[in-house]
Amino acid sequence: MKKVFESPKSLTKDPFTYCPGCHHGIAHRLVAEALDEFGVREKTIGVCPVGCSVFAYVFFDCDMICAAHGRAPAVATGIKRAKPDSIVFTYQGDGDLASIGTAEIVHTANRGENITVIFINNAIYGMTGGQMAPTTLVGQVTQTSPYGRDPKTMGYPIKVAEMLSTLKGVAYISRVALSKPAYILKAKKAIRKAFQSQIEGKGFSLVEILSTCPTNWGLSPIEANKWLEENMIPYYPLGEFKTPEEVS
Amino acid sequence: MEEKMLMKGNEAIGEAAIRAGCHFYFGYPITPQSELTAYMAKKLLKMKDAVFVQAESEIAAINMVYGAASTGVRAMTSSSSPGISLKQEGISYIACAELPCVIVNMQRGGPGLGSIQPGQADYFQATKGGGHGDYHLIVLAPSSVQELVDLTMDAFDLADKYTNPAMILGDGLIGQMMEAVEFKERKKINLPDKEGWTLTGCKGREKKYIVPFNLDPYEMEKLNLKIQEKYNKLKEKEVRYETVNLDNADLIIVAYGIVARIAKTVMSNAKKEGINIGLIRPITLFPFPEKIIAETSEKVNKFLVVEMSMGQMVEDVKLAVNGKAEVNFYGRVGGVIPTQSEILTEIKKYLK
Amino acid sequence: MAKILIDEERCKGCELCIPACPKHIMVMAEYFNKKGYHPAKQIKPEECTGCTFCAITCPDVAIEVYK
Ligand SMILES: Cc1ncc(C[n+]2csc(CCOP(=O)(O)OP(=O)(O)O)c2C)c(N)n1
Ligand code: SF4
Ligand code: SF4
Ligand code: SF4
Ligand SMILES: [Mg+2]
């Protein structure tokens, strides 16, 4: 018998410190598989954010740096400009990317920086204990929207993939989910495409990954997957928003 | 061949940085340092393997510096007071990550949006840390365009030597001044190898990471102590200052940067009136030249600290003097430059 | 012929591999691992097709698949 599935080389052996059922682990693995498959682990520099995945530097077996909250795209810009032959990715949560780091992500995308962004949209601030994120759904109860997100005063959830795909400098953007095997296989393809686009020098690529935070959603991992499919996917449609072919 | 050129202060910094091997610049426009950003654009965008990015903000710029510095290249950003405030979180990260880089602050009048005229009110911010946590920058305070050139080059060496961010603390006036400068042939110095910490991809080695945090408080304390060691070394080895006429002085002026130049005019005018003034001009603001000030306070019992602030460096002078002499202060703020006649009048008050 | 290996000490008992298996042969064990979670376990191993669905779903990379 042949081994047909094992932990990718681009992950260390350290067990993840994420909560049971948290999708961060699946997303990490898919990124690591892409690095393995393209054979780029040894020239990759990853940028981890401030958020639950601040510990990503432990889990990825490649050079890593931790950016300040929201600033990963700027740090990645500095790295990629200084070392254009390296493969650079950021791994960011929705508080990190879509709230405090909005300026950095928009302008990094707009400059068409040739980096890959892995964007974990779990509709919440995980690390700080479940506050409202810019991606929190209307009506969703969080610590800072205890009566549900009221769009009148709290705005509507930001659709990052759609918003950024309007920028000309962007080569590849798609939105995927991880709540069932079929989605995970598609997510894997999308992440591969994003890195491929970087390897081919096409410019900025981003994969928005709809993810669960069972702990702060107050749901079991299985219930969380269901909640994601019933509530997030209808608002955040899956699919590709921009592909390299569209870049002239 | 050593060449003399007439250059504006801000452009001279740019030229000095490039000649010091800094080919990576990230900035955001702000008066009174925009000529530096423009100079870097003009030069670096035409150079091979060089990078100029007009960042979306000062926050982004300092974080781009952080990223570039992590790969081992010489990187720089520049701004003026409000923009430097925005960079503080990033600077704290860089200091914690122990990466070298150079930050230029051509100070203007504050607080708030302040004015666009020169100021020195960012002394506390520059020398005491500025951002959160226990860290210091290496702070160099030039008082001529030539010194802007020399200290900019030194700043890169010191930053590399101590793997710590260094700051050129100038002001709006010195940045706008035109003076003849010379780009001298510099002695080759031995700098520590960057190999140990640069992120280059893990080909043929274990992975490396740069993380300016540790959730284990004891480990975080250890890191603090290690960084503190560097500051002790800086205090021991890198203090720089200029002294003029310390012997037999009736009063010692302590001033840095552009104010020290004015003080020199005050000294010669005072001399004509039979008043003997000495000057201590700190060149490194961190590490601060406390020893020479302490020694001088044993001999001269009157000091006057002059700053374009409400009294910031004067606190360090008082600490150094430690009650051994009288320390007075004169300051103008908000972009106002103290005149030599004002300073002389002030001196006379204390020599009555 | 296919088989899976579950690293019981990596498993956090999240149960996500259970609905992922098209053959319905993944269940949770009664006992606890060192971290205090019920680890996943496979019943009727002869029915396993090696489709890897359980493994790709596992957030903790606790499952290896052989075929
Ligand atoms: C400047 C700054 N502000 C606030 C914080 C506190 N903080 C840490 S993580 C976080 C939010 C993380 O949420 P998200 O980016 O969605 O990541 P997740 O934990 O959900 O994966 C915040 C607000 C910080 N570390 N730095
Ligand atoms: S708090 Fe939420 S996002 Fe963070 S590790 Fe736990 S489940 Fe994942
Ligand atoms: S490999 Fe497929 S069939 Fe076998 S246990 Fe896993 S999910 Fe079920
Ligand atoms: S998915 Fe993984 S961690 Fe969760 S129960 Fe199954 S084996 Fe354990
Ligand atoms: Mg989040």
Side-chain angles (χ1 to χ4, degrees):
Chain A
M1 269 194 285
K2 241 179 53 209
K3 219 185 243 185
V4 292
F5 183 92
E6 65 180 326
S7 180
K9 298 268 176 303
S10 296
L11 284 183
T12 61
K13 297 282 165 259
D14 301 85
F16 294 139
T17 42
Y18 305 113
C19 307
C22 172
H23 286 185
H24 272 307
I26 308 178
H28 279 30
R29 198 196 78 234
L30 294 180
V31 171
E33 285 176 357
L35 299 181
D36 279 11
E37 287 163 22
F38 289 117
V40 294
R41 182 184 75 88
E42 293 185 325
K43 57 177 194 167
T44 295
I45 303 174
V47 187
C48 51
V50 173
C52 282
S53 49
V54 69
F55 294 111
Y57 78 92
V58 176
F59 307 126
F60 284 106
D61 198 7
C62 58
D63 280 5
M64 295 291 292
I65 184 168
C66 170
H69 196 21
R71 317 302 169 206
V75 176
T77 297
I79 295 170
K80 186 74 179 190
R81 295 293 190 107
K83 279 196 77 64
D85 293 336
S86 55
I87 297 301
V88 179
F89 74 93
T90 71
Y91 186 104
Q92 304 177 255
D94 41 5
D96 193 81
L97 180 143
S99 185
I100 195 167
T102 340
E104 281 77 9
I105 195 65
V106 168
H107 290 277
T108 301
N110 195 45
R111 286 190 304 267
E113 298 291 345
N114 192 28
I115 63 161
T116 298
V117 173
I118 304 298
F119 169 43
I120 305 295
N121 176 355
N122 57 10
I124 201 118
Y125 282 21
M127 181 173 231
T128 39
Q131 297 82 3
M132 183 177 70
T135 45
T136 291
L137 296 178
V138 169
Q140 189 182 334
V141 171
T142 71
Q143 284 206 345
T144 48
S145 58
Y147 312 109
R149 181 174 187 160
D150 177 358
K152 278 206 217 86
T153 54
M154 302 165 181
Y156 288 90
I158 297 182
K159 297 185 179 184
V160 169
E162 286 86 337
M163 182 176 84
L164 293 180
S165 61
T166 64
L167 300 173
K168 212 162 173 348
V170 169
Y172 180 75
I173 291 199
S174 78
R175 185 185 286 120
V176 298
L178 303 174
S179 54
K180 60 182 185 196
Y183 286 157
I184 294 172
L185 293 172
K186 277 196 185 154
K188 170 152 185 183
K189 275 206 188 109
I191 291 172
R192 274 188 61 106
K193 273 195 183 176
F195 278 101
Q196 188 171 354
S197 141
Q198 178 180 174
I199 290 163
E200 291 171 5
K202 298 239 162 77
F204 183 87
S205 54
L206 177 145
V207 181
E208 175 172 343
I209 303 178
L210 302 184
S211 310
T212 60
C213 173
T215 302
N216 288 301
W217 291 0
L219 299 173
S220 75
I222 288 177
E223 289 166 344
N225 274 351
K226 190 160 172 274
W227 191 88
L228 183 149
E229 289 178 9
E230 287 174 359
N231 298 281
M232 287 182 79
I233 295 178
Y235 185 83
Y236 295 117
L238 306 182
E240 289 184 329
F241 294 85
K242 194 148 186 192
T243 57
E245 289 80 62
E246 288 170 50
V247 181
S248 53
Chain B
M1 239 248 321
E2 287 163 14
E3 1 157 24
K4 268 216 158 152
M5 310 193 227
L6 196 62
M7 279 189 106
K8 207 176 203 185
N10 283 331
E11 298 186 335
I13 299 175
E15 185 58 30
I18 294 169
R19 289 182 189 227
C22 168
H23 299 166
F24 297 84
Y25 175 91
F26 307 90
Y28 189 85
I30 184 170
T31 308
Q33 64 80 54
S34 293
E35 297 89 349
L36 172 50
T37 311
Y39 190 85
M40 295 311 255
K42 195 167 84 187
K43 293 283 166 155
L44 295 181
L45 289 173
K46 289 256 178 199
M47 264 168 75
K48 201 176 157 289
D49 297 328
V51 169
F52 167 88
V53 179
Q54 175 169 335
E56 56 272 32
S57 69
E58 288 86 349
I59 300 176
I62 190 69
N63 284 288
M64 289 173 189
V65 166
Y66 174 44
S70 76
T71 70
V73 302
R74 285 189 159 181
M76 174 166 109
T77 184
S78 66
S79 189
S80 178
S81 310
I84 296 290
S85 292
L86 274 182
K87 291 185 196 290
Q88 293 303 330
E89 183 196 30
I91 296 173
S92 173
Y93 270 63
I94 295 171
C96 183
E98 297 191 78
L99 296 179
C101 72
V102 172
I103 302 143
V104 177
N105 180 3
M106 300 312 261
Q107 301 169 89
R108 58 193 241 182
L113 187 55
S115 69
I116 55 169
Q117 284 76 27
Q120 291 186 326
D122 303 349
Y123 177 92
F124 283 152
Q125 185 196 54
T127 61
K128 309 292 174 189
H132 57 288
D134 278 308
Y135 73 90
H136 287 282
L137 305 177
I138 301 162
V139 186
L140 305 172
S143 81
S144 66
V145 179
Q146 182 63 55
E147 218 176 26
L148 272 181
V149 166
D150 298 338
L151 292 183
T152 299
M153 293 183 166
D154 290 346
F156 283 101
D157 289 345
L158 287 166
D160 279 352
K161 189 167 165 192
Y162 291 90
T163 54
N164 198 71
M167 176 175 273
I168 299 292
L169 191 68
D171 61 70
L173 186 56
I174 205 166
Q176 302 297 326
M177 253 162 29
M178 287 274 253
E179 283 183 336
V181 291
E182 203 180 337
F183 292 89
K184 294 168 215 154
E185 197 67 55
R186 287 168 68 83
K187 264 205 315 262
K188 188 112 191 74
I189 58 161
N190 279 337
L191 290 170
D193 192 16
K194 295 184 173 186
E195 187 69 25
W197 52 264
T198 46
L199 301 185
T200 52
C202 61
K203 194 169 168 59
R205 60 160 169 81
E206 298 269 285
K207 76 161 184 186
K208 283 190 269 194
Y209 50 78
I210 294 176
V211 291
F213 76 96
N214 200 316
L215 295 189
D216 176 342
Y218 296 98
E219 289 302 314
M220 197 61 212
E221 186 180 52
K222 260 193 221 157
L223 174 60
N224 268 277
L225 294 174
K226 177 175 166 237
I227 293 176
Q228 214 60 39
E229 254 325 290
K230 294 195 303 198
Y231 302 147
N232 293 339
K233 259 211 194 98
L234 276 161
K235 287 179 190 171
E236 208 179 289
K237 300 209 158 111
E238 308 293 351
V239 173
R240 296 192 208 177
Y241 54 84
E242 180 193 354
T243 60
V244 191
N245 193 36
L246 293 195
D247 299 324
N248 311 316
D250 304 319
L251 178 145
I252 304 288
I253 295 182
V254 187
Y256 72 94
I258 205 71
V259 180
R261 276 171 81 127
I262 302 168
K264 285 181 184 170
T265 317
V266 175
M267 286 169 73
S268 54
N269 289 352
K271 188 132 212 173
K272 288 178 206 146
E273 300 187 28
I275 306 170
N276 208 1
I277 306 291
L279 172 72
I280 298 176
R281 175 174 76 90
I283 296 171
T284 52
L285 298 181
F286 187 91
F288 191 68
E290 49 201 22
K291 219 167 126 213
I292 183 68
I293 294 174
E295 281 165 17
T296 310
S297 71
E298 306 272 0
K299 293 175 259 172
V300 186
N301 65 4
K302 283 191 168 62
F303 280 68
L304 178 67
V305 180
V306 189
E307 298 175 59
M308 291 192 285
S309 83
M310 291 305 290
Q312 300 195 12
M313 183 175 70
V314 63
E315 292 192 4
D316 286 334
V317 174
K318 279 184 178 160
L319 279 173
V321 166
N322 200 15
K324 300 228 173 67
E326 176 188 311
V327 179
N328 301 291
F329 174 74
Y330 183 71
R332 297 299 303 265
V333 284
V336 180
I337 303 163
T339 65
Q340 47 89 8
S341 66
E342 249 161 64
I343 298 171
L344 189 53
T345 311
E346 191 68 16
I347 288 171
K348 285 179 187 160
K349 260 188 2 205
Y350 301 113
L351 292 179
K352 258 196 256 169
Chain C
M1 255 285 276
K3 88 171 182 194
I4 65 164
L5 268 185
I6 303 170
D7 182 342
E8 294 195 341
E9 291 313 320
R10 271 191 92 103
C11 174
K12 290 187 188 141
C14 73
E15 305 187 8
L16 290 183
C17 52
I18 313 269
C21 174
K23 293 285 168 189
H24 311 291
I25 55 173
M26 294 296 286
V27 296
M28 303 310 290
E30 298 285 305
Y31 53 89
F32 295 98
N33 67 10
K34 285 198 193 103
K35 284 189 217 123
Y37 298 117
H38 293 289
K41 91 174 186 203
Q42 192 192 42
I43 47 168
K44 303 194 215 152
E46 65 286 357
E47 288 188 24
C48 177
T49 62
C51 71
T52 75
F53 281 11
C54 54
I56 64 169
T57 306
C58 175
D60 285 283
V61 209
I63 303 176
E64 280 183 354
V65 185
Y66 297 80
K67 206 166 150 178

